[in-house]
């Protein structure tokens, strides 16, 4: 599901089907698309958030809305099976940890760096997207 209101994308994964009103968007991938959890990881990543805000953010902060047509325009990279599995696994860990009140920031950081690598970002671009990152250029270049 993607929340309609807000100035940033807020995407979550649900195990069970539910009915939603107009303030939420739901999506199911096509047969040849990456897994749903991979898509959740991508859409919540700092890179796709950055892209969304730069390209589509409304000029007003008063009742900002996410438009599904804009979300569909986001450049979702086609992962290898291994990349899909790694990101999906981290999304699963986030779901499990957040349900228990545990910290999820380490998993979010791992997803962000996997996404940065998947999209081929160099360190200077990572710093542009995430100026508060504490990772060094050497660490980023070694990151798998």
């Amino acid at each position: 599901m993607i929340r309609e209101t807000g100035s940033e994308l807020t995407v979550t994964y649900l195990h069970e089907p539910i009915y939603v009103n107009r303030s939420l968007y739901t999506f199911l991938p096509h047969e040849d698309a990456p897994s749903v959890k991979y898509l959740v990881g991508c859409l919540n990543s700092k890179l796709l958030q950055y892209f969304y805000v730069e390209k589509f953010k409304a000029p007003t902060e008063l009742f900002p809305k996410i438009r599904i047509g804009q979300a569909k325009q986001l450049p979702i990279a086609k992962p290898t099976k291994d990349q899909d599995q790694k990101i999906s696994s981290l999304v699963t860990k986030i779901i499990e940890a957040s349900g228990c009140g545990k910290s999820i920031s380490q998993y979010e950081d791992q997803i962000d760096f996997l996404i940065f690598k998947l999209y081929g970002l160099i360190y200077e671009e990572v710093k542009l997207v995430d100026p508060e990152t504490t990772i060094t250029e050497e660490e980023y270049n070694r990151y798998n």
Side-chain angles (χ1 to χ4, degrees), residues 59-99:
T60 178
E61 289 296 318
L62 186 62
F63 304 113
K65 291 191 176 199
I66 304 296
R67 301 290 181 211
I68 196 64
Q70 294 169 337
K72 286 180 178 181
Q73 293 178 45
L74 293 171
I76 304 295
K78 187 154 178 106
T80 64
K81 254 189 169 163
D82 185 53
Q83 291 165 325
D84 188 313
Q85 189 278 325
K86 282 180 183 177
I87 291 170
S88 295
S89 174
L90 289 166
V91 169
T92 298
K93 288 179 181 181
I94 288 171
I95 292 166
E96 291 169 354
S98 60

Side-chain angles (χ1 to χ4, degrees), residues 19 21 23 38 60 72 84 88 90 106 111 143:
Y19 292 101
N21 63 18
S23 66
Y38 168 82
T60 178
K72 286 180 178 181
D84 188 313
S88 295
L90 289 166
Q106 68 184 20
I111 289 173
Y143 195 85

